[in-house]
Structure formats: structure tokens, C-alpha cells
Amino acid sequence: MAMAAMRREGRRLMVISPTVSLNSTNAVRSPLVSQELSLQGTRSISTQIVRTRMKSVKNIQKITKAMKMVAASKLRGVQVRTEQSRGLWQPFSALLGDIPSMDVKRNIVITVSSDKGLCGGINTTSVKVSKAINRMNSGPEKETKYVILGEKGKVQLMRDSKKDIEVTISEIQKNPLNYTQVSCLADDILKNIEFDALKIVFNKFQSVVQFLPTVATILSPECVDAASETGGKLEGLNSYEIEGGDSKKEILQNLTEFQFSCVMFNAVLENSCSELGARVSAMDSSSRNAGDMLDRLTLAYNRTRQASITTELSEIISGAAALTG
Amino acid sequence: MASTGAVTFWRSAGMTYNAYSNICAAIVRNCLKEPYKSEAVTRETVHFTTTNWENGIQGKPVTHEIFK
């Protein structure tokens, strides 16, 4: 190592030595020559770093543009299905109502979020609303638990509400969403979790840039029965005649189960629609940002290049002038 | 679970209304003729993973899958 350094040192001395001798022989030209030597490094600033940066920004822009395209084309299909699925839960809320203020003992908050990120703040919104509902419904002799759909909501709620998580569900969007899948999922929740009220928190799709955090409440059959007995919003339920041999309790149980899977289906679709819409706008702004950054970098790069060319030119011209003059 | 009176047979087998209606829907889909049948079958794929939590500790994930 030391020898190599010495050799390098020696070579440099060898290179410098002619100029030194030149310096001593030609006193008139010496200032120019020595200046040229000292500016060797600074005159041509390396543009390599800027060029690499530009290339990486350009690649990122390409990726974000592609993601935007993919999300936009997926959104078109999902949006139609979401709008169609709204007809599925509306009759249920007309019949069984949607009463979020119902005071019950055991609440289950179902937070619907996405598995993938890069979709703006929709997951944060549904997590925040879920936490607010949890706080509103907490109290002595009351229990509130979370059922979380999607990885992103899980990661956020794990930080401070680890103890309240009952079940997490993921990978539901691996295949295109269908009713069979969601009803199997609803079935799983119904069988394994005891509840008095289920509160489904999701982002309702308004437009590509607007999502409304929404809560849909589903009461257990016992609660619906109790609520219809005491009057209030569900009093109309008693005016229905029941055909066949089923009791009101059985019918209510069937209805609430079916209501839950229908509302879940709509919630999951609405949320995936909002996710895609949010992703479209997020990717749109990020590719625009990448474009701006690229413009700035190109400007800086060209300016530096131009400056070095100008310096070189002026040096050549002044050198020539010095020779002739 | 409702246990009074004449309980329907699927309820006493431990099924929920959703499971019952899913089976009925699958039977109806099976009755379709060919170009529609294979299209309807794609609406029956089920895939999701559930993880049970106990006292803040994550359990083992279980994958539920039905491919037809």
C-alpha cells in the first residue's frame, strides 16, 4: 500500500515537473498555466450525480404513471359493481333500520381497510373513525372489540389497540370480489364472534377524489327484537304479518344474518372503489411531482453544462488572444 | 341460536342463513347451461385469510379457500 502511494506520488511529481520548469523558463505565461492547473478539478464539475438522479426520477415517474393507469382501469369495473350493490342493503335499512346510537353491551367494530398502500389517507380515515367509535362506546360493563379487514388497518391499530383486536382478515382482494366470498367471510364472523351490535366502518365512494367515512350498524336479532318491542324507530316491524311456521325470532335471525353479509359486501366494494380512486389521484400527483423534479434537475444540469462550456470557450479565446497579442 | 319451536333443518345442523343461501345459490348456478355456467362459476371463488388474536398476541393465520 505504502509503495503504491509513493509511486502515485512520484508520478504526480513527474507530471508537475515539466510545468515547473516551464514556469521558471517563461515568466510571462506562468500565471495562466498555474491557474489552469489549480482549476483542473473545479472547472468541469461532474454532472454524473445529477444524471443518475434524473434517470431514477424518470424511472419512478414511469412506475407511478403505470400504477395510475392500472388503478384507473380497475376502478371502472369496480365502480359499476359498487353502484349496483347499493341496491342490496337499502331495503334492509328500510326494514331493520341503521341505528348507530343504540346502546348495547358488546360492540364489534369492523374496520374495512386495504391490503396495499399508496392510496392516500383512506386507511387512516377508517382507523380514526373506528377508534372514535371505540371511545364512544367504551364504558363500564361494556366491551368493544375490533375485527380488521386488510393489512394496513391492522398495522395502524396494532400500535395502541393491540388488546382489543379479535380477528384480522386479509387477502380478500386476491381475486375479484364476489358475493360468495364476502358471505363466507360474514359467516366466519357470525359463527366465531359474539356481538350485540356490529359497526362496519368503511369509506363510501362519492367520486374519484371524494370518500365519506361511513358507519353501518347491524344489531343482533335479540337487540332488534328488543328495540321493536320498546317502540321507537323499529316499531313498524311489529306491523308485518309472518307467514308459515317460523317465529319472529327465527325470521329476525335469518334477516340480520343476510343483512350483515349484504352490508359487508357493499362496504368491501365501496372501500375497494375508494382505494382505487385514491390511488389514481395519489399516483397522478406523484407523477406530476416527479415531472416537476425532473424539470428542475434538467435545468440545473443544463446550466452547469453550459457554464463549463462557456468557461472553456472564454479560456480558449483569451489564450488565443494572449498568443496573438 | 334459536332453539324454540320448529327449527329449520339447516339451522339445527349449525349453519347460518348465509351458508344455507350460498349452497342454494351454488345449486342454482349448476343448473345453468354452458356459456353462462362457466361465467357464473367464477363468482364462486373464495379466498381470504383470518388470524385470531388473544390478549394482543397474534395467532396463526388460517386461509379459507374454495376454488370451483
Side-chain angles (χ1 to χ4, degrees):
Chain A
M1 283 290 277
M3 282 300 287
M6 286 282 279
R7 228 176 291 140
R8 235 179 288 134
E9 209 59 17
R11 207 174 295 146
R12 200 189 291 160
L13 274 174
M14 292 243 296
V15 173
I16 289 170
S17 56
T19 48
V20 171
S21 62
L22 201 141
N23 253 353
S24 57
T25 50
N26 197 338
V28 186
R29 284 177 65 192
S30 64
L32 183 73
V33 175
S34 65
Q35 196 187 6
E36 205 179 84
L37 261 184
S38 64
L39 283 176
Q40 199 94 58
T42 49
R43 192 181 63 185
S44 55
I45 300 164
S46 175
T47 46
Q48 186 71 44
I49 298 164
V50 184
R51 245 180 294 149
T52 333
R53 187 83 194 281
M54 274 162 70
K55 207 184 269 175
S56 76
V57 170
K58 217 180 269 173
N59 283 339
I60 290 168
Q61 193 186 26
K62 265 183 213 161
I63 293 166
T64 53
K65 262 188 187 159
M67 278 180 86
K68 187 196 156 194
M69 294 290 187
V70 171
S73 71
K74 272 187 186 168
L75 175 69
R76 234 167 287 142
V78 175
Q79 194 179 343
V80 175
R81 298 181 60 211
T82 306
E83 275 154 11
Q84 283 170 351
S85 80
R86 281 179 191 159
L88 211 56
W89 63 265
Q90 275 154 354
F92 278 114
S93 33
L95 178 69
L96 297 170
D98 190 344
I99 317 166
S101 56
M102 185 88 172
D103 195 33
V104 288
K105 266 191 183 166
R106 200 177 153 82
N107 282 290
I108 300 285
V109 180
I110 302 180
T111 310
V112 183
S113 68
S114 65
D115 276 346
K116 289 174 193 163
L118 296 178
C119 50
I122 64 153
N123 295 324
T124 319
T125 321
S126 56
V127 166
K128 270 186 189 162
V129 173
S130 311
K131 278 183 186 165
I133 289 173
N134 192 348
R135 234 170 289 137
M136 264 161 54
N137 290 306
S138 61
E141 291 179 25
K142 274 186 173 180
E143 209 181 359
T144 312
K145 292 274 182 190
Y146 290 114
V147 171
I148 307 163
L149 263 77
E151 287 290 325
K152 295 287 155 182
K154 181 182 102 180
V155 171
Q156 289 189 24
L157 278 168
M158 252 166 69
R159 282 184 215 141
D160 56 349
S161 316
K162 227 177 188 178
K163 292 245 171 334
D164 293 338
I165 300 175
E166 187 92 24
V167 180
T168 56
I169 299 161
S170 57
E171 291 182 19
I172 56 165
Q173 293 200 41
K174 210 172 180 186
N175 303 309
L177 285 165
N178 58 43
Y179 177 76
T180 318
Q181 184 184 19
V182 178
S183 74
C184 282
L185 195 141
D187 210 37
D188 203 68
I189 295 173
L190 283 171
K191 270 184 192 159
N192 298 323
I193 296 166
E194 270 179 44
F195 63 91
D196 288 325
L198 293 162
K199 312 219 164 181
I200 307 173
V201 182
F202 60 99
N203 288 281
K204 195 174 171 151
F205 182 77
Q206 296 287 107
S207 69
V208 183
V209 285
Q210 202 187 9
F211 327 104
L212 282 180
T214 312
V215 185
T217 312
I218 286 142
L219 299 170
S220 69
E222 292 82 25
C223 286
V224 176
D225 201 19
S228 69
E229 294 297 331
T230 52
K233 283 178 188 164
L234 290 178
E235 205 175 14
L237 212 61
N238 288 324
S239 59
Y240 286 97
E241 257 179 52
I242 296 169
E243 285 181 353
D246 295 344
S247 67
K248 186 185 168 192
K249 206 177 170 187
E250 282 167 29
I251 286 198
L252 274 180
Q253 188 168 10
N254 294 350
L255 273 174
T256 46
E257 279 170 5
F258 193 44
Q259 181 197 18
F260 176 47
S261 73
C262 287
V263 173
M264 269 300 273
F265 180 54
N266 176 252
V268 168
L269 271 176
E270 295 270 5
N271 203 71
S272 83
C273 207
S274 308
E275 179 201 337
L276 290 170
R279 186 165 294 137
V280 169
S281 53
M283 288 302 116
D284 186 44
S285 54
S286 63
S287 33
R288 210 177 318 126
N289 272 346
D292 288 351
M293 198 187 255
L294 200 60
D295 283 351
R296 277 204 303 277
L297 282 173
T298 318
L299 200 69
Y301 174 70
N302 283 344
R303 219 173 250 167
T304 328
R305 197 169 54 98
Q306 201 62 50
S308 73
I309 290 169
T310 315
T311 330
E312 271 175 23
L313 263 180
S314 70
E315 270 168 12
I316 291 166
I317 292 164
S318 60
L323 274 180
T324 52
Chain B
M1 291 277 154
S3 55
T4 51
V7 185
T8 31
F9 59 93
W10 46 265
R11 178 76 71 192
S12 49
M15 282 160 76
T16 61
Y17 181 78
N18 293 331
Y20 169 66
S21 67
N22 268 344
I23 290 170
C24 293
I27 293 167
V28 175
R29 279 192 209 107
N30 258 330
C31 297
L32 287 166
K33 281 188 178 175
E34 206 13 89
Y36 309 105
K37 191 175 178 180
S38 46
E39 191 202 322
V41 161
T42 59
R43 293 196 288 268
E44 282 182 15
T45 48
V46 175
H47 180 99
F48 62 92
T49 310
T50 57
T51 314
N52 285 312
W53 289 61
E54 221 159 295
N55 292 323
I57 296 157
Q58 198 170 353
K60 242 188 172 176
V62 184
T63 309
H64 303 251
E65 247 178 337
I66 304 173
F67 287 114
K68 287 187 181 173

